[in-house]
């Protein structure tokens, strides 16, 4: 008889977005004359930059000509032209990477989940709470022990290591989804030193690095001393360049990142991941890699920056409003997420219903991201400027 992976039965149902959709649907049916402003979803809304579209079209044209047609990519880890563009991009913030350390993928979510394949199930996993749900879910699927580091109001939603607790694999996300907080270089160095002491590996999710405007804040964990010895980094063009529906990202595994096997031999994680991907992944399509490379050209940077600046302007409208109303928040400055404390002692769902009923603004209750999200609420800057302004005007009227 076939046996299922029973770990799936222990997984929490993903009620968050189902509950949101149900409440929104019920409200809309009862109030068809009251249009909603959606500020809950983490998807981008602006189209791809023209230079990216042109590069994808050119790549597609090449696929239609015998001389330039491409089948499977030999390595499956990405074309050198794109890896070189990524390496140069890292160089612009002071991180030196060789092409063999970069692996092109179809977005960060898959690698965040699939990386579990190269680690044993007897590892202790440390996740900061609240967190992007993939880190927990993909490890629950393997039946692993998960412990949490609290990100809360006291520590500015930037959980730091507890030296008395041991972990083998540590997930960090900065700028953070959902809290918008960003680790400083010194904080990352603390995590790196904890990881080295514990012979642990950090999986660093930098999907929102492009939103960092403060040059003092690190855009990569490799800005932290020693990180190449203990960290894997995952990034994506989804939020950087509007690739959520186009799909392209990159994972960095440094050459010097090795782990001891049970027989005492040093094993390269890059080699293990290469072996895993060689068996289960056949690369990203050529036209999409052409489009991705265009993001890193001077014109691509200029055009994609315009979209990021647009979202940043939305975030500024939001943070200005919250400041004016005296509502506590984190994020919104080096991040597209604004994480606010529900006013008047409301819990996250109460606040959700309150905003929906009173001003028809939809956000995301913080407790959906972990226990430390209780009493907090996530709004995103990915909407239109007009809707963001309107939503914030309604919020001002409601609370002033
Ligand atoms: N990491 C974080 C923190 C995210 O919020 C997201 C998407 O919202 C991803 C990774 C996945 O992005 P993608 O798979 O589109 O590259």
């Amino acid at each position: 008889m076939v046996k299922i992976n029973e770990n799936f039965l222990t997984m929490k149902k993903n009620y968050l977005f189902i509950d949101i959709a149900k409440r929104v649907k019920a409200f809309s049916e009862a109030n068809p004359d009251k249009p909603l402003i959606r500020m809950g979803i983490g998807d981008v809304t602006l189209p791809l930059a023209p230079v990216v579209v042109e590069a994808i079209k050119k790549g597609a044209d090449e696929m239609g000509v015998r001389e330039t047609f491409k089948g499977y990519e030999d390595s499956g880890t990405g074309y050198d032209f794109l890896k070189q563009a990524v390496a140069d991009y890292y160089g612009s913030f002071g991180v030196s990477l060789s092409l063999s350390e970069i692996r092109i993928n179809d977005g960060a979510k898959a690698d965040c989940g699939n990386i579990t394949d190269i680690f044993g199930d007897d590892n202790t996993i440390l996740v900061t709470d609240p967190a992007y749900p993939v880190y927990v879910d993909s490890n629950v699927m393997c039946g692993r022990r998960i412990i949490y580091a609290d990100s809360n109001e006291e520590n500015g939603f930037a959980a730091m290591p507890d030296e008395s607790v041991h972990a083998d694999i540590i997930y960090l996300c900065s700028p953070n989804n959902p809290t918008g907080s960003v680790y400083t270089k010194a904080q990352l160095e603390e995590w790196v030193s904890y990881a080295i002491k514990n012979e642990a590996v950090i999986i660093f999710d930098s999907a929102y690095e492009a939103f960092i405007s403060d040059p003092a804040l690190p855009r990569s964990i490799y800005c932290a001393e020693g990180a190449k010895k203990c960290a894997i980094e995952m990034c994506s063009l989804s939020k950087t360049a509007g690739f959520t529906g186009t799909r392209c990202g990159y994972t960095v595994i440094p050459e010097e990142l090795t782990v001891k096997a049970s027989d005492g031999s040093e094993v390269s994680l890059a080699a293990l991941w290469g072996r895993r991907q060689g068996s289960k992944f056949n690369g990203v399509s050529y036209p999409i890699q052409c489009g991705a490379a265009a993001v890193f050209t001077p014109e691509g940077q200029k055009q994609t920056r315009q979209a990021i600046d647009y979202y940043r302007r939305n975030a500024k409208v939001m943070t200005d409003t919250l400041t004016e109303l005296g509502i506590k928040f984190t994020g919104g400055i080096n991040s597209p997420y604004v994480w606010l404390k529900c006013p008047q002692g409301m819990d996250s769902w109460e606040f959700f219903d309150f905003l929906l009923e009173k001003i028809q603004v939809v956000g995301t209750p913080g407790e959906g991201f972990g226990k430390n999200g209780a009493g907090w609420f996530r709004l995103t800057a990915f909407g239109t400027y007009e809707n963001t302004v309107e939503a914030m005007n309604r919020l001002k009227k409601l609370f002033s």
Side-chain angles (χ1 to χ4, degrees), residues 14 27 63 67 73 121 179 196 243 250 262 295 310 326 377 388:
N14 192 359
F27 180 86
M63 294 294 270
E67 288 71 26
E73 182 204 312
D121 288 343
T179 70
I196 290 174
F243 269 56
Y250 40 93
S262 55
V295 170
Y310 179 92
F377 202 75
T388 307

Side-chain angles (χ1 to χ4, degrees), residues 308-323:
I308 287 175
D309 287 345
Y310 179 92
Y311 298 135
R312 271 209 192 110
R313 183 169 64 143
N314 288 348
K316 174 98 171 64
V317 172
M318 292 153 73
T319 55
D320 283 352
T321 304
L322 295 174
T323 304

Side-chain angles (χ1 to χ4, degrees), residues 42 106-110 112 132 135 173 177 205 207-208 236-239 244 247-248 337:
D106 56 359
K109 188 175 193 173
C112 278
Y132 179 53
Y135 317 143
C173 175
N177 177 13
D205 184 342
Y208 298 93
S236 152
L237 295 180
S238 283
K239 310 300 161 87
T244 51
R247 312 304 306 146
C248 196
Y337 295 119

